[in-house]
Amino acid sequence: MFRRTFWFTTGVAAGVWATTKVNRKLKQLTPESLAATAANKALETGHRLKDRAVGFALDVRDNMAQREAELGEALGINADPELPAPRRHNAIENNRSNPKYIENPKYIENTTYSYNRNEDH
């Protein structure tokens, strides 16, 4: 009697286990699940490619700087050039409080051009 109960229980457990495995596999093979899996793998691949491209670009930049330094040493132009002084626009320098521009301003103050946009219509 105990043997029959043992084997019956073992059979029921094996049936439940097999049914669960089959149902899981069937859910994995539905179109929605396959699409989600494909999208996830595409995202992972995209991230890997992006990381590789960034790494490649950084390697190129490092090697470019190294080669530029080597060429600078070979040609004798390693001295840092002085940058020119920053330029200011005339509009900034031509303010009305500056006595240099009160008598002879560089900007156009009294023009015959009208800014009225309705004039042409």
Side-chain angles (χ1 to χ4, degrees):
M1 168 117 164
F2 289 113
R3 268 193 236 175
R4 287 184 186 172
T5 307
F6 171 76
W7 288 114
F8 178 75
T9 307
T10 304
V12 168
V16 168
W17 177 79
T19 305
T20 305
K21 290 289 263 183
V22 168
N23 283 337
R24 283 184 189 162
K25 193 51 113 173
L26 287 175
K27 285 182 183 177
Q28 286 179 354
L29 296 175
T30 60
E32 295 85 14
S33 179
L34 290 174
T37 304
N40 289 338
K41 290 195 181 211
L43 285 174
E44 290 173 9
T45 303
H47 288 300
R48 269 190 269 126
L49 285 175
K50 184 192 92 159
D51 293 340
R52 287 181 184 173
V54 168
F56 176 72
L58 291 175
D59 288 343
V60 167
R61 186 177 297 159
D62 291 342
N63 290 331
M64 181 180 64
Q66 180 184 358
R67 181 65 178 152
E68 188 174 328
E70 290 172 359
L71 288 174
E73 288 176 12
L75 296 174
I77 47 175
N78 281 336
D80 293 331
E82 290 187 26
L83 295 176
R87 298 180 183 175
R88 299 186 70 186
H89 296 288
N90 287 337
I92 296 172
E93 293 177 351
N94 294 339
N95 57 15
R96 295 178 186 188
S97 61
N98 191 344
K100 179 179 176 182
Y101 296 107
I102 289 177
E103 295 176 10
N104 187 16
K106 291 183 182 177
Y107 57 87
I108 301 172
E109 189 170 81
N110 298 323
T111 63
T112 58
Y113 180 75
S114 172
Y115 289 101
N116 186 356
R117 297 290 178 201
N118 294 325
E119 184 177 89
D120 296 336
H121 301 288

